[in-house]
Amino acid sequence: MRLGAEDRELIARDVEAYLDHYQKRDLLRLLTAGSVDDGKSTLIGRLLYDTQAVYDDHMSAVERDSRKHGTTGTAADLALLTDGLRAEREQGITIDVAYRFFATSKRKFIIADTPGHEQYTRNMATGASTADLAVILVDARHGVLAQTRRHSFIASLLGIRHLVVAVNKMDLVGWSEQRFGEIRAEYADFAARLNVPDVHFIPLSALQGDNVVTKGAHTPWYHGPALLGYLEEVHIASDRNMIDLRFPVQFVNRPNLDFRGFAGTLASGVVRTGEEVMALPSGRRTKVARIVGPRGDLPEAFAGQAVTLCLADEIDVSRGDMLVHPRNLPSMERGLEAIVVWMHDAPLVEGRTYVVKCGTQTVSAEVAQVEYRFDVNTVHRAEPSRFDGRAGLGLNEIGRVVLETARPVLFDAYAKNRRTGCFVVIDRMTNVTVGAGMLVDRKPVRTESALRSRDAARSELPDRVRSRVTGGDRAAKLGHAPLTVWLTGLPRSGKTTVALLAEKMLADRGIAAAALDGVTLRFGLNRDLGYSADERAEATRRAAEAARLMNDAGLVVIASLVSPYRADRDAARRIVGDDRFVEAWAKAPLDVCEARDAALHPDGAGLYARARRGEVRSFTGVTAPYEEPEAPGLVLDTSARSAEECARAVVEAVVVRVSRPAV
Amino acid sequence: MSRYTLSHLEQLEAESIHVIREVTAEFENPVMLYSIGKDSSVMAHLAKKAFHPAPPPFPFLHIDTTWKFREMISFRDRMCRENGFDLKVHTNWKAVKEGINPFDHGSDKYTHAMKTQALVEALAAGRYDAAFGGARRDEEKSRAKERVYSFRDRNAQWDPKNQRPELWNLYNGRIDRQKGESIRVFPLSNWTELDVWLYIHREKIDVVPLYFAKPRPVVERGGNLVMVDDDRMRLEPGETPRMETVRFRTLGCYPLTGAVRSGAATVGDVVREMMLATTSERQGRVIDHDAEGSMEQKKREGYF
């Protein structure tokens, strides 16, 4: 390994001081994602070559290979430095995750190099699972592609908190600052939907080396660090969970009657001698008598350390158990909800049983339900794939799955704890690893479909009670049938204004009508919910249930909710009943809605303005999707027509549907 | 650095200990391959730490080709005695009787018989379901994609296209013992050559003195300096052993291992020399140069 002048000087002068410094550096694990065409292999080759992690004999092998397989003419093809197996070399693609190593005087780096072709999901998830940071390559000529979004989405799902968007091949766009700005704006727009707090952009040329290891002369307008400088400085220590003590017991070490220790790696938190701990699942409490570390006894141990804990009392603890602080407990449940990445040709299907390994726990688990699948290109939810009529996940698909385990599993949400919130899925017959899962937090908010399958299980319960007053009786009394008009649309599209006007007009015509407003519901019925996709689904479900009750009581309901997801609105239709549900779309272009909002809040405190500034998360239309209705029963063009006109259209639609024919 | 930060070396140490414990907890009959080299020394040191104060709960296996440096064998016996390791030694005596040796047979055939085949035999004979090896991903290109748990079929063969995905620190240790399946485990996967030396330095780990420079009898052959370790060494016409101050960056069978001219007599010297070096450690290994992709081929056949 060759070195810079400073290191060279220190080694020559005082090798002990050098060793002392070198062994204390920390470690950064990163992932690189992008296709062959993005120049990913060249970028890694460049990092290795320019940090001088390449030996002369490796380099001469590369020069030899370059003449045979290379794509750079007579120059050494740096991409070949990272090209491993013979089969791949023949195909000219990488087919698996490869790990590369290099170091500077500041840090040691481990690169998980993952390919960009169709096996990307499986390989990227593997590489991302241990990475602190992901470098996403974008070809400056092509900008943000579907694949860029896929890679970023997977990195975000796997809990990576730092993304570097390396805008490569800047030399081919004339080092254009404007082009770089366009790509940055486009990506930032999309990245707002991801759960990644830190995104950084670097213009570079892997081929020429600009801004990879050293700043290049071609981008005077770029004031940030070169890629390597950024990687050396990015702060990752606070990504670890140092709050929740989780010690999964790996191995009981009992060589003789005088020693009984529990060996394991702290998944998170800190433990000290003398502290009270609780063993789970038993719930027995005791104190930590001794912590045996790799260099003798320790007063305390923290996340990442492999230690052996001796306890004050002889309580029964075995592999798979967990030691925690008594006032800070993990979840312990048989029903697990997780985002699962499927990695095998044979699909995951509802009803099948697998082996799940979660930390040091190994349990059998049945797939109770596949709730939905992610379309990784759009990052939207989609109906799960079907295999012989059963919902499931195919190779490289990602979806949300409910598992029922044979016994309770100790875990935390992946978002809170990357060590206790993950599991792998193993096929019982072949023993192959077929999937990986990230556990989802909250007490599961049941989706409508989950509830339906649960309803089936409830068939032994007494039937729901039936009113002695029939719908017909009520309609006869009121003079009209019930109906729900479900007004959906972007924020500030005019839904509520139209709904309130329509309610008044209907009341004036003697129709028992009531407005059911989404924002108002958030102060009461839905006050416990946030704005994630799942919580929106639950908010919609509750509103639909309320509309159904009001319809049962004979009322005409004008419900106004953003309800951005098609699946949620379809669920609402099923709850209310197809025959008394009308989907109405308050249709206005995004810029009109945004302008209205700005006019209402000239001080910049409007929701759109705040969402644009990144102050509001998951804001429909800006940082969360709005899925337009496919076949709405009523379209209200609220940008071209007045609120009164739109309300009259609603009233007309209602009157046509609810008027009872003369008996 | 904050109080709750692990250096890269401490992280590597913790991860290796985790792997060693995980295998011990999930497998019925693991064994640790002991090649006597510096990586093996580090791995054995980590095994001691993993189970302290108990000794490692598995035997150590050395595949003896009968052509190892004499200093390696005496070091091996001393280390195992001092640490109380349960040492098993296996040699492919059939091949020895057939007269297979590193001079008459190409390094390819020799390695296959004395190392690969011997290893496969020994693992089968001991009915081991998991074997720890000290290989690192930075050693060679085909190793960069190797898993920590490397799955092997009943013939101990490795299929690079059919390895299990490994995520987080969750290793899938399920195998079909009835079918004779097993795994090879590489606890040092993420260590580099420099990490190994830094750790040896930090922990004051004993390694074979051949790693340090001393005047030794050598001949120059095919660009390599080969040490004449005993009188079995066949000298080509015109070759006369001469004393040179040399050391070894990697250890194996003496006729197949190239020495480097060096004055590095301490770990500090070795690191200094390595940091200023421009060639990789495996360059001294004759066996890797056989053909392009040769390591991959050997691994497919059951080599570590």
Side-chain angles (χ1 to χ4, degrees):
Chain A
M1 197 177 304
R2 290 161 295 167
L3 299 166
E6 246 173 73
D7 285 341
R8 204 172 259 281
E9 198 267 330
L10 181 59
I11 292 171
R13 184 164 41 87
D14 186 352
V15 74
E16 296 290 323
Y18 180 81
L19 293 176
D20 198 46
H21 168 73
Y22 222 75
Q23 72 185 23
K24 285 185 185 149
R25 294 166 312 166
D26 69 349
L27 176 62
L28 180 82
R29 292 171 198 262
L30 63 139
L31 163 87
T32 50
S35 79
V36 183
D37 302 334
D38 295 331
K40 178 171 58 76
S41 298
T42 309
L43 178 69
I44 297 169
R46 172 63 65 186
L47 274 175
L48 299 181
Y49 185 71
D50 283 5
T51 56
Q52 297 161 334
V54 183
Y55 291 114
D56 287 354
D57 53 326
H58 286 170
M59 199 58 207
S60 50
V62 163
E63 280 159 8
R64 197 172 60 233
D65 288 357
S66 297
R67 290 191 285 276
K68 246 196 269 179
H69 313 283
T71 55
T72 49
T74 49
D77 185 352
L78 291 178
L80 292 178
L81 274 174
T82 63
D83 211 6
L85 302 185
R86 184 189 286 177
E88 308 167 12
R89 253 181 282 166
E90 282 161 6
Q91 294 164 32
I93 49 162
T94 45
I95 51 172
D96 208 330
V97 188
Y99 295 89
R100 322 277 172 203
F101 307 85
F102 70 97
T104 68
S105 58
K106 296 208 170 105
R107 263 184 176 156
K108 166 171 169 145
F109 298 91
I110 301 180
I111 304 181
D113 177 15
T114 63
H117 66 109
E118 73 276 6
Q119 290 291 324
Y120 62 88
T121 302
R122 164 189 155 136
N123 291 327
M124 251 209 74
T126 303
S129 70
T130 52
D132 306 302
L133 175 148
V135 176
I136 308 277
L137 266 104
V138 174
D139 185 325
R141 294 168 303 172
H142 308 313
V144 178
L145 302 177
Q147 126 173 325
T148 317
R149 286 193 282 270
R150 272 196 312 248
H151 292 152
S152 310
F153 173 59
I154 295 166
S156 131
L157 265 190
L158 269 290
I160 290 182
R161 301 178 61 78
H162 310 274
L163 286 185
V164 176
V165 181
V167 182
N168 191 23
K169 306 197 184 182
M170 285 299 294
D171 50 321
L172 299 183
V173 295
W175 304 100
S176 160
E177 179 179 10
Q178 194 199 331
R179 181 68 188 133
F180 178 71
E182 284 164 14
I183 292 170
R184 181 167 57 188
E186 193 186 351
Y187 188 91
D189 219 27
F190 154 77
R193 282 190 254 161
L194 303 174
N195 189 25
V196 180
D198 176 27
V199 183
H200 193 83
F201 298 84
I202 302 178
L204 53 86
S205 165
L207 195 66
Q208 301 190 5
D210 290 73
N211 296 340
V212 178
V213 169
T214 49
K215 291 281 299 265
H218 296 101
T219 50
W221 44 266
Y222 171 68
H223 303 294
L227 176 62
L228 182 66
Y230 183 76
L231 298 178
E232 283 182 319
E233 298 297 336
V234 61
H235 180 72
I236 50 164
S238 47
D239 297 349
R240 295 171 309 157
N241 179 333
M242 297 304 270
I243 311 281
D244 312 312
L245 169 64
R246 303 287 185 259
F247 184 77
V249 175
Q250 211 182 354
F251 184 83
V252 182
N253 195 10
R254 184 159 213 186
N256 54 53
L257 291 175
D258 300 330
F259 188 87
R260 183 164 177 261
F262 303 99
T265 303
L266 269 92
S268 57
V270 181
V271 67
R272 295 178 183 88
T273 50
E275 243 177 19
E276 186 173 49
V277 289
M278 180 187 274
L280 293 174
S282 73
R284 293 286 307 273
R285 295 175 187 217
T286 180
K287 288 199 162 70
V288 177
R290 203 181 147 190
I291 303 172
V292 183
R295 270 160 292 282
D297 283 14
L298 299 167
E300 63 177 1
F302 55 90
Q305 284 189 306
V307 295
T308 302
L309 301 185
C310 300
L311 303 177
D313 303 291
E314 284 252 334
I315 61 170
D316 189 27
V317 176
S318 52
R319 176 175 165 86
D321 291 0
M322 199 183 269
L323 298 174
V324 300
H325 286 143
R327 276 179 300 281
N328 180 338
L329 303 180
S331 300
M332 189 167 96
E333 284 179 46
R334 284 189 53 213
L336 306 180
E337 291 211 34
I339 305 297
V340 170
V341 180
W342 201 246
M343 304 182 152
H344 203 262
D345 295 322
L348 165 141
V349 279
E350 283 182 355
R352 273 206 73 175
T353 301
Y354 297 92
V355 171
V356 159
K357 186 172 181 185
C358 176
T360 57
Q361 308 165 90
T362 303
V363 294
S364 93
E366 186 187 330
V367 180
Q369 198 201 346
V370 179
E371 295 187 18
Y372 54 81
R373 170 175 69 82
F374 280 107
D375 179 331
V376 288
N377 291 323
T378 59
V379 191
H380 291 170
R381 293 185 289 166
E383 281 290 308
S385 307
R386 300 221 152 242
F387 301 91
D388 295 330
R390 284 189 294 174
L393 294 174
L395 176 64
N396 288 318
E397 288 188 342
I398 300 173
R400 181 153 163 159
V401 171
V402 182
L403 298 168
E404 294 279 338
T405 54
R407 58 187 163 78
V409 173
L410 297 160
F411 70 93
D412 293 284
Y414 189 70
K416 280 195 207 142
N417 199 320
R418 268 182 104 184
R419 282 290 177 225
T420 56
C422 56
F423 60 85
V424 290
V425 185
I426 300 167
D427 187 276
R428 285 190 305 167
M429 306 308 292
T430 63
N431 290 330
V432 170
T433 304
V434 288
M438 288 140 288
L439 289 150
V440 176
D441 196 4
R442 309 171 289 98
K443 291 292 161 210
V445 167
R446 292 289 166 189
T447 62
E448 212 260 330
S449 58
L451 289 168
R452 265 184 296 149
S453 60
R454 190 146 286 217
D455 287 345
R458 263 194 213 127
S459 53
E460 310 105 75
L461 291 177
D463 207 354
R464 52 173 76 112
V465 292
R466 296 211 174 273
S467 170
R468 293 184 193 178
V469 185
T470 68
D473 296 340
R474 292 184 209 275
K477 192 78 117 194
L478 290 167
H480 61 82
L483 183 76
T484 293
V485 177
W486 191 276
L487 257 166
T488 169
L490 290 167
R492 299 281 178 233
S493 58
K495 297 178 300 297
T496 303
T497 312
V498 171
L500 293 177
L501 280 171
E503 179 192 32
K504 178 79 170 71
M505 289 175 187
L506 287 165
D508 289 346
R509 295 175 71 148
I511 291 176
L516 186 66
D517 178 60
V519 175
T520 309
L521 287 175
R522 292 235 174 227
F523 289 93
L525 189 58
N526 291 341
R527 66 187 288 191
D528 57 326
L529 297 175
Y531 294 87
S532 71
D534 288 324
E535 289 165 302
R536 286 180 192 275
E538 175 62 8
T540 309
R541 186 188 72 83
R542 290 184 195 173
E545 288 287 356
R548 183 175 68 85
L549 291 170
M550 290 159 82
N551 280 170
D552 285 349
L555 301 178
V556 167
V557 177
I558 314 294
S560 52
L561 289 96
V562 177
S563 47
Y565 295 107
R566 221 168 271 143
D568 295 345
R569 295 192 300 265
D570 290 347
R573 180 188 292 276
R574 282 194 296 272
I575 290 168
V576 173
D578 190 35
D579 53 336
R580 54 187 197 188
F581 186 91
V582 176
E583 187 177 47
W585 179 16
K587 187 181 175 187
L590 182 63
D591 54 337
V592 172
C593 298
E594 192 162 354
R596 277 183 194 154
D597 193 47
L600 282 168
H601 299 278
D603 54 350
L607 282 170
Y608 278 93
R610 289 173 53 207
R612 292 283 179 210
R613 289 197 300 268
E615 294 167 17
V616 183
R617 289 218 141 202
S618 330
F619 186 74
T620 301
V622 179
T623 49
Y626 179 77
E627 298 173 1
E628 298 184 348
E630 276 170 336
L634 193 60
V635 178
L636 306 169
D637 186 347
T638 59
S639 63
R641 296 164 68 194
S642 72
E644 284 76 14
E645 284 177 288
C646 293
R648 269 196 292 279
V650 171
V651 170
E652 279 161 28
V654 169
V655 170
V656 168
R657 282 181 173 77
V658 303
S659 299
R660 293 180 56 77
V663 183
Chain B
M1 217 169 346
S2 113
R3 171 175 160 208
Y4 296 130
T5 309
L6 292 176
S7 71
H8 79 285
L9 221 45
E10 289 164 335
Q11 279 191 56
L12 293 173
E13 175 189 63
E15 288 169 15
S16 301
I17 289 173
H18 179 84
V19 168
I20 292 169
R21 286 172 171 171
E22 195 67 8
V23 170
T24 311
E26 293 206 311
F27 285 79
E28 290 168 9
N29 194 17
V31 65
M32 183 164 278
L33 267 291
Y34 184 60
S35 76
I36 323 175
K38 62 183 192 305
D39 305 299
S40 271
S41 294
V42 166
M43 187 165 66
H45 188 77
L46 291 165
K48 286 199 293 180
K49 286 187 185 297
F51 304 101
H52 178 80
F58 41 71
F60 288 71
L61 173 67
H62 180 228
I63 301 301
D64 191 351
T65 61
T66 73
W67 291 93
K68 298 292 175 189
F69 291 91
R70 285 173 298 164
E71 268 185 281
M72 289 172 72
I73 301 301
S74 58
F75 179 85
R76 175 195 76 188
D77 294 342
R78 179 169 67 80
M79 283 312 291
C80 291
R81 196 173 54 243
E82 284 177 7
N83 288 294
F85 293 161
D86 172 15
L87 175 70
K88 316 270 186 200
V89 177
H90 182 88
T91 300
N92 182 356
W93 289 112
K94 189 164 158 277
V96 172
K97 282 198 192 92
E98 285 167 11
I100 292 184
N101 66 69
F103 303 110
D104 298 320
H105 306 90
S107 69
D108 226 5
K109 184 170 181 194
Y110 166 78
T111 302
H112 181 73
M114 300 307 294
K115 293 172 106 173
T116 309
Q117 225 178 310
L119 174 65
V120 171
E121 269 174 26
L123 293 178
R127 308 184 72 79
Y128 299 116
D129 52 3
F132 294 100
R136 309 185 317 265
R137 284 173 176 153
D138 79 322
E139 278 178 63
E140 205 269 343
K141 277 207 270 188
S142 76
R143 294 224 191 259
K145 305 191 176 196
E146 182 59 285
R147 305 294 195 266
V148 174
Y149 277 27
S150 176
F151 179 79
R152 305 298 167 107
D153 66 15
R154 61 180 313 159
N155 301 314
Q157 293 193 342
W158 179 71
D159 177 359
K161 286 203 169 170
N162 195 23
Q163 292 293 306
R164 297 170 175 178
E166 267 174 3
L167 295 100
W168 299 290
N169 62 345
L170 301 176
Y171 301 102
N172 175 359
R174 294 175 69 91
I175 53 166
D176 190 334
R177 287 176 181 78
Q178 302 302 318
K179 282 196 197 153
E181 292 171 352
S182 65
I183 61 159
R184 304 283 172 86
V185 188
F186 303 110
L188 305 184
S189 285
N190 289 326
W191 296 57
T192 60
E193 186 184 11
L194 177 62
D195 296 329
V196 166
W197 279 115
L198 288 172
Y199 193 67
I200 288 170
H201 175 77
R202 175 182 176 160
E203 296 284 310
K204 302 186 172 50
I205 298 170
D206 214 356
V207 293
V208 187
L210 290 161
Y211 284 113
F212 305 112
K214 209 177 93 171
R216 295 185 169 98
V218 293
V219 294
E220 198 156 349
R221 181 178 287 181
N224 288 306
L225 287 175
V226 178
M227 178 171 158
V228 182
D229 194 47
D230 60 34
D231 52 17
R232 291 179 297 170
M233 177 77 184
R234 282 191 218 159
L235 298 176
E236 314 257 325
E239 279 181 349
T240 324
R242 59 171 191 276
M243 294 302 278
E244 284 213 45
T245 301
V246 296
R247 65 176 202 90
F248 295 86
R249 286 181 72 180
T250 163
L251 296 178
C253 299
Y254 79 81
L256 296 177
T257 308
V260 290
R261 291 188 180 89
S262 163
T266 64
V267 175
D269 290 345
V270 167
V271 170
R272 181 180 2 229
E273 188 180 277
M274 184 181 57
M275 297 303 287
L276 305 174
T278 60
T279 56
S280 75
E281 61 184 323
R282 293 200 80 87
Q283 201 199 22
R285 289 207 178 174
V286 180
I287 61 168
D288 285 356
H289 300 306
D290 296 345
E292 195 183 347
S294 65
M295 178 65 89
E296 184 190 337
Q297 191 57 38
K298 287 192 177 66
K299 280 161 62 76
R300 279 172 185 271
E301 289 164 3
Y303 186 73
F304 243 86

